[in-house]
Amino acid sequence: MVTVEFKLFATLMEYLPAGAQDHSVRVELSEGATIFDLMDKYRVPRTQAHLVVRNGIFVPPSQRKTYPLQDGDVIALWPPVAGG
Amino acid sequence: MSWAGKILRVNLTQGTCTVEALNRQWAQEYLGQRGLATKYLSEEIDHRVDPLSPENKMIMTTGPLTGTMASTSGRYSVVTKGPLTNCVACSNSGGFFGAEMDFAGWDMFIFEGKSPKPVYLSVMNDIVELLSAEEIWGTSVWHTDEWLHAKHQDPMVRVAAVGRAAEAGCLYAAIVNDQHRAAGRSGVGTVMASKNLKAVLVRGTKGIDNVKDPAKFMNAVNAGKKVLADNAVTGQGLPTYGTQVLMNVINEIGALPTRNMREVQFEGAQSVSGEAMHEKRASDGKPNLTSNAGCFGCTIACGRISTVDKGHFSVENKPDYWGSSGGLEYEAAWALGPDTGVDDLDALTYTNFLCNEDGFDPITFGGTLAAAIELFNMGALTTEQTDGRELNFGSAETLVWAVEALVKGEGFGKDLGLGSKRLCEKYGHPELSMTVKGQEFPAYDPRGIQGMGLAYATSNRGACHLRGYTVASEVLGIPEKTDPLETEGKAGLVKAFQDATAAVDSSGLCLFSTFAWSLEDIAPQVDGACEGDWTAERMLELGERVWNMERDFNMRAGLTAADDTLPKRLLKEAAKTGPALGCVNDLDKMLPEYYELRGWTSDGVPTESTRQRLGLS
Ligand code: SF4
């Protein structure tokens, strides 16, 4: 098993389980689970997660279904957002 | 057409207003607003002029699309030589004032000289008058706005004014229009106050009647609006969370400058984020955010309207601040929050209200306070200079005290009005000023977003995010994702953003439209409205021309390539956490290539062939 921290922001916050603190939930997944597996577990639509960040580093769409999550990873997701 | 074709020249020394025809040849070369007004300024003043002397000029200017049916067309700019930077200053603002200038039939107001007594300019279509402002001198922007509305008995007049900060000589005073919208950076408000000009009031009932090809224009406008509505960022993201949604993004990727840019991540970011503005308060069950708001004609509506918790110490016994007012945008929230270490959303919102009420740039204010706190921590400043106050990172009390001191313009408030460059020089530590060309950084740490380091270093108005927002690509993936920690390819990226931005800023449209629009969407709108054939290629070349003209202005003002740099902290002190851990900004890897791509010498001077190619005299 691997334990990761899953963070959802902006309009994706609605997919957090009740009682989640600071946009974040700790999740246990089986070895080899991917970011898409993690999103599916919380029913986050794949099309809505525009910005996917692992430990602060952008994960390109092609790696979201292949990269195996590591113990201690922090995965953060945003819908399309911008500012300035 | 689309240009109104008319300029109002106001000689404040003599008290005269004269009408001039717009130079249409220049309009073809520089389009409008930022480009065209900078051309006028550059032709009319000595570049080495003291920005606060009567010899400096100040231009309020619209673009050819301002006030039209195009989305985001509520923009105008103030162009002058800036007292904070000694560079060309061009500050852009939204709201409704710019559109009203166009409805009254004016492309520009050029102010020159200095009035012997405080005055305001009243423009009612073609009737223009300089009237006494003695009764409102020494009062806030909000009071001035109210007073002028009452005096002119017309709820539809639009007012742009300076507040007490500008009058007290704060070097980063803003011009605030429609109460909450500001031409905020580089001290354009200080220039206005130095001319004894308190406000400009405009009412126009003429509308826009000179669009070149109305059918073509409306087709392009409607197509553009559809792109904005269908785009997830401009259609949903910006209206819902505003620019403030970036607080958590930038913190998470380790590029949120914290405590005078000593760190790159802030533990309190969530408490002052766009998401936090939606959370209900324990005290009254209401969130900080009341609603979103839009400027004239905007179909995005990213603006924030907020309240402060009535029980918060900052507004105790101050009912004037209990209602809704202009809320936090990301850059302001960052400067007042993470940069000073304060995670109290109400304190930030109250401080932001005061920035609007009395007209000053929250970015430079926050950056200056952060530098002052660091000076205090190291003992270079003591309570003797700070009116007996301790200055502490993370203290909402320090923030609220400091902003009120600045508004009063007394004691240490006077020092805070200098900006961090002059403040840090005064107290013996110039290296603690987080500035380029005298202007404070906005909310992106260039150790974690390399391209922004180059964008800041080469920005023609000092450190600024609105001159080349490579964050769009490096962080948000717009138009395509690049690696924020990589320097390769950033010279070209920065140049492309800078040139495109200069073109958009010359059109009358809002830069935020470019989260969805490219110049391919904008050019047909310009082409439908304006004489001449306007393509995306022509717009981009125009942007490059504007950029080089601004560069030329600054060089003639005495700046050199040595000014294209970053503070030592960002070049030598590595990031301590996050993805950029161990990284500094590698400006030296990007700058020579940037000069080359620009067609400049290794000393950063546009070569003769570049000047000829761009038609710069
Ligand atoms: S996008 Fe925001 S700042 Fe730009 S015009 Fe619209 S409301 Fe104003």
Side-chain angles (χ1 to χ4, degrees), chain A residues 7 9-11 13 22-23 50-51 53 55-58 74 76 78 80-84, chain B residues 232-233 238 241 243 245-246 248-249 252-253 270 275 331 444 465 469 475-476 481 515 579:
Chain A
K7 294 182 170 182
F9 293 97
T11 45
M13 281 161 58
D22 297 336
H23 307 277
H50 174 72
L51 195 58
V53 163
N55 304 330
I57 296 173
F58 178 74
V74 178
W78 285 266
V81 291
Chain B
V233 169
L238 278 171
Y241 284 98
T243 57
V245 76
L246 285 188
N248 285 316
V249 177
E252 208 67 29
I253 67 150
Q270 282 181 17
E275 287 88 345
E331 310 299 336
Y444 313 91
H465 58 296
Y469 192 67
V475 179
L476 305 170
K481 187 77 176 70
F515 289 125

Side-chain angles (χ1 to χ4, degrees), chain B residues 247-326:
Chain B
M247 186 67 76
N248 285 316
V249 177
I250 304 299
N251 192 45
E252 208 67 29
I253 67 150
L256 189 70
T258 298
R259 288 175 277 265
N260 204 30
M261 304 189 90
R262 294 191 302 189
E263 296 144 75
V264 296
Q265 286 180 306
F266 181 46
E267 65 286 352
Q270 282 181 17
S271 313
V272 293
S273 65
E275 287 88 345
M277 289 168 73
H278 281 259
E279 282 167 20
K280 289 184 177 140
R281 294 187 284 248
S283 58
D284 59 4
K286 291 182 183 155
N288 172 283
L289 185 73
T290 313
S291 70
N292 66 329
C295 304
F296 171 84
C298 182
T299 53
I300 302 174
C302 75
R304 306 287 92 182
I305 302 295
S306 286
T307 57
V308 177
D309 185 342
K310 284 180 197 158
H312 190 261
F313 80 89
S314 62
V315 296
E316 212 180 333
N317 303 319
K318 297 177 192 165
D320 284 354
Y321 303 97
W322 291 354
S324 299
S325 194

Side-chain angles (χ1 to χ4, degrees), chain B residues 108-143:
Chain B
M108 284 185 204
F109 302 148
I110 301 180
F111 297 96
E112 45 194 40
K114 176 180 180 175
S115 170
K117 287 186 174 163
V119 289
Y120 70 94
L121 175 71
S122 165
V123 177
M124 302 283 176
N125 291 327
D126 294 329
I127 303 169
V128 296
E129 295 171 283
L130 281 170
L131 300 168
S132 173
E134 282 179 279
E135 225 179 295
I136 40 174
W137 197 254
T139 71
S140 72
V141 170
W142 291 357
H143 176 269

Side-chain angles (χ1 to χ4, degrees), chain B residues 58-61 76-80 90-94 97 109 111 141 159-163 165-166 172-195 197-201 355-362:
Chain B
M58 185 192 92
I59 305 177
M60 286 180 161
T61 168
Y76 80 103
S77 292
V78 181
V79 175
T80 185
C90 172
S91 289
N92 184 310
S93 179
F97 179 84
F109 302 148
F111 297 96
V141 170
V159 173
V162 292
Y172 47 92
I175 298 171
V176 179
N177 57 283
D178 304 294
Q179 296 199 355
H180 316 295
R181 287 281 166 180
R185 301 223 73 190
S186 316
V188 296
T190 321
V191 173
M192 181 159 156
S194 78
K195 298 187 171 305
L197 179 64
K198 179 70 179 171
V200 178
L201 167 146
C355 292
N356 286 335
E357 183 182 20
D358 267 297
F360 49 99
D361 173 10

Side-chain angles (χ1 to χ4, degrees), chain A residues 9-42:
Chain A
F9 293 97
T11 45
L12 298 182
M13 281 161 58
E14 64 180 273
Y15 297 102
L16 281 169
Q21 289 277 319
D22 297 336
H23 307 277
S24 165
V25 57
R26 292 191 83 74
V27 191
E28 280 205 348
L29 294 154
S30 50
E31 291 286 340
T34 65
I35 291 174
F36 273 171
D37 293 333
L38 177 61
M39 287 164 61
D40 291 348
K41 188 174 163 92
Y42 288 91

